[in-house]
Amino acid sequence: MGIAVSPQIHPHVAEFIDQPRKMLINGRWVNAASGKTFPTYNPATGEVLAQVAEGDREDINQAVKAARKAFDNGPWRRMTASERGRRIWKLGDLLEQHTEEFAYLESLDNGKPLNIAKVADVPLAVDLFRYMAGWATKIEGNTIPISAPGFLAYTLREPVGVVGQIIPWNFPLLMAAWKLGPALATGCTVVLKPAEQTPLSALRLGELILEAGFPEGVVNIVPGYGETAGAALADHPDVDKVAFTGSTEVGKLIVHAAAGNLKKVSLELGGKSPNVIFKDADLETAIPGSASAIFFNHGQCCCAGSRLYVEKSVYDQVVEGVAEHARKIKVGSGLDPDTQMGPLVSEEQMNRVCGYLESGFSEGAKAVAGGHKSGGRGYFVEPTVLVDTKENMKVVREEIFGPVVTAMPFTDPEEIVPRANDSEYGLAAAVWTRDIGKAHRMAEQLRAGTVWINCYNIFDAALPFGGYKQSGWGREMGHDVLNLYTQTKSVCARIA
Ligand code: NAP
Ligand code: MG
């Protein structure tokens, strides 16, 4: 079923995609209970890349059973924190050793440039595992001086239990790492459902998870569709927590589904992040920085800087500068070493983005760069800069999740905070200025989980990431994420 082995394709990847991929349940690779498979596509060509076992409710049931057994009775619970940490560290090492192979898989399945996956997606995932490996031995409770005499009171931080994790297609490997790393560090067990568009790197990671020595049932990976496998995980009565990254719309469905057993929920959802350039900014960094804020990963970033606000006196210069960057971006197949931007992930996503462009044009927006689908086959869209946009337009209000930025001028620096905050989202924001006081005042006033000053898209395993408002619940990464995967037990003993 795989694509023809071309000299361009990494040999291990060619072998990996040449046969239908199975799902990982209880430490074994198995077919779907239904026997069904589904195709994953190469978005640069639209051709089928590989067939993957199609998980559904019955497979989720089996996976949850395995995770429950591993959590309640398996060697995982008896393992010391140090042993847990060492396995996570080893997983990071194994992943690093296979950097090239994972970069190929990401590029083929998602469309992103191979060279970017090699220096961003894979090393960030490696680093995340290493950072979380260190936390395993540092999860501590407190001793509490309660008021009554003659008692010893303390808290334990305990793993939350069986965790369902549902991830999107924009950073398939990295999102798997963000989810798995803290769950494993805290001693939870997991059922992971990758996105239907990009299941391959998570499945390959599953092989490394077994190699790293995690006991059976600790990590189960069930590919499949959201409405079936994903929904079965979100409403499963024996899942203690669900962690989701994806659209705000589906995030709300997850909250409803979780209500049945009141499982814990954490959500990392959409964004429409404002990127504000003041006239006193260093434009030589602000212009390329703002181009990369939107065009990195083809705009398929939840924190993409998709609303660009520029102080009036430098507006024309900035817009022309960003547009010039957009025009120069080399769009092509992710495997081509010259490519700077690959295709969007799917035909559906391409049509969604083109639909937004149509809507913008019909409401009076103009493109000063791009504005169309690009190329013949494959799901390419031109890097696009829209001007003449107004705050009430769909292209300004809704998450496009494609390489499209709306640029708008502002005159009064006082007006910019309410305009920047005028969104149902609050994931990220950026400010470009040389005035350090203004920068930090803005950072305080912007209602967003991350504020970048004179930079954009800086991520680190140690830096919490997550949303205000409808951009989500909870923070991933940093020590904050440990709260999402542990709960506190108070122990109180009479000792006198
Ligand atoms: P999505 O539907 O929210 O998908 C995210 C994950 O949720 C996927 O694994 C998906 O499975 C699963 N899912 C879908 N419906 C579900 C349900 N009813 N119950 C449980 N799980 C379910 O995102 P999308 O459709 O791929 O993209 C749509 C839009 O979402 C994008 O245009 C973008 O605006 C936004 N998005 C945001 C992020 C982010 O990082 N914040 C990431 C991706 C997309 P399937 O694989 O079957 O879809
Ligand atoms: Mg694909």
Side-chain angles (χ1 to χ4, degrees), residues 115-125 174 296:
N115 287 336
I116 291 180
K118 241 189 272 186
V119 299
D121 300 64
V122 185
L124 283 170
L174 187 59
F296 175 63

Side-chain angles (χ1 to χ4, degrees), residues 40-43 109-110 197-198:
T40 181
Y41 297 90
N42 175 352
D109 209 6
N110 164 283
Q197 297 86 349
T198 55

Side-chain angles (χ1 to χ4, degrees), residues 166-170 193-197 225-226 230-231 244-247 250 253-254 268-270 302 349 352 399 401:
I166 301 172
I167 56 173
W169 42 257
N170 52 346
K193 192 206 86 69
E196 71 183 72
Q197 297 86 349
Y225 294 109
F244 170 80
T245 297
S247 59
V250 174
L253 295 177
I254 301 282
E268 203 265 273
L269 306 175
C302 43
Q349 191 61 16
R352 192 195 317 253
E399 181 175 48
F401 227 64

Side-chain angles (χ1 to χ4, degrees), residues 391-449:
E391 243 90 20
N392 58 356
M393 289 182 180
K394 262 175 70 164
V395 287
V396 177
R397 304 216 68 81
E398 296 181 16
E399 181 175 48
I400 298 177
F401 227 64
V404 182
V405 66
T406 60
M408 284 168 289
F410 66 92
T411 39
D412 178 2
E414 293 296 306
E415 100 195 71
I416 195 54
V417 170
R419 279 179 74 188
N421 283 338
D422 179 20
S423 169
E424 68 192 31
Y425 296 113
L427 194 56
V431 188
W432 302 80
T433 174
R434 285 191 172 103
D435 178 338
I436 189 168
K438 182 160 64 184
H440 291 291
R441 279 197 305 281
M442 290 282 293
E444 195 188 338
Q445 290 166 343
L446 289 165
R447 305 248 302 134

Side-chain angles (χ1 to χ4, degrees), residues 1 38 99 125 244 326 340 369 375 383 391 422 444 492:
M1 264 306 149
F38 69 101
T99 297
F244 170 80
Q340 294 168 309
E391 243 90 20
D422 179 20
E444 195 188 338
C492 189

Side-chain angles (χ1 to χ4, degrees), residues 173-299:
L173 173 70
L174 187 59
M175 290 301 104
W178 280 26
K179 292 277 181 289
L180 290 171
L184 295 172
T186 50
C188 295
T189 60
V190 176
V191 178
L192 175 77
K193 192 206 86 69
E196 71 183 72
Q197 297 86 349
T198 55
L200 296 177
S201 56
L203 293 172
R204 180 70 182 101
L205 185 68
E207 296 184 342
L208 298 188
I209 286 169
L210 296 184
E211 205 179 322
F214 290 94
E216 62 183 31
V218 170
V219 177
N220 305 274
I221 304 177
V222 181
Y225 294 109
E227 299 76 25
T228 52
L233 194 51
D235 72 13
H236 201 291
D238 211 20
V239 169
D240 298 302
K241 174 203 162 65
V242 62
F244 170 80
T245 297
S247 59
T248 293
E249 186 190 348
V250 174
K252 291 178 183 177
L253 295 177
I254 301 282
V255 170
H256 283 286
N261 70 337
L262 286 179
K263 58 175 68 66
K264 316 273 182 279
V265 180
S266 55
L267 304 169
E268 203 265 273
L269 306 175
K272 190 74 186 175
S273 298
N275 180 27
V276 180
I277 303 184
F278 288 97
K279 65 180 181 208
D280 62 3
D282 172 10
L283 297 185
E284 273 179 33
T285 49
I287 290 171
S290 299
S292 125
I294 180 65
F295 298 131
F296 175 63
N297 211 42
H298 326 163

Side-chain angles (χ1 to χ4, degrees), residues 269-333:
L269 306 175
K272 190 74 186 175
S273 298
N275 180 27
V276 180
I277 303 184
F278 288 97
K279 65 180 181 208
D280 62 3
D282 172 10
L283 297 185
E284 273 179 33
T285 49
I287 290 171
S290 299
S292 125
I294 180 65
F295 298 131
F296 175 63
N297 211 42
H298 326 163
Q300 300 169 132
C301 291
C302 43
C303 55
S306 49
R307 288 186 290 142
L308 177 62
Y309 294 99
V310 188
E311 198 159 353
K312 185 123 190 192
S313 59
V314 294
Y315 176 78
D316 288 344
Q317 186 187 347
V318 169
V319 169
E320 183 43 35
V322 174
E324 172 131 5
H325 273 274
R327 290 181 213 114
K328 282 194 187 143
I329 290 173
K330 185 153 181 332
V331 178
S333 158

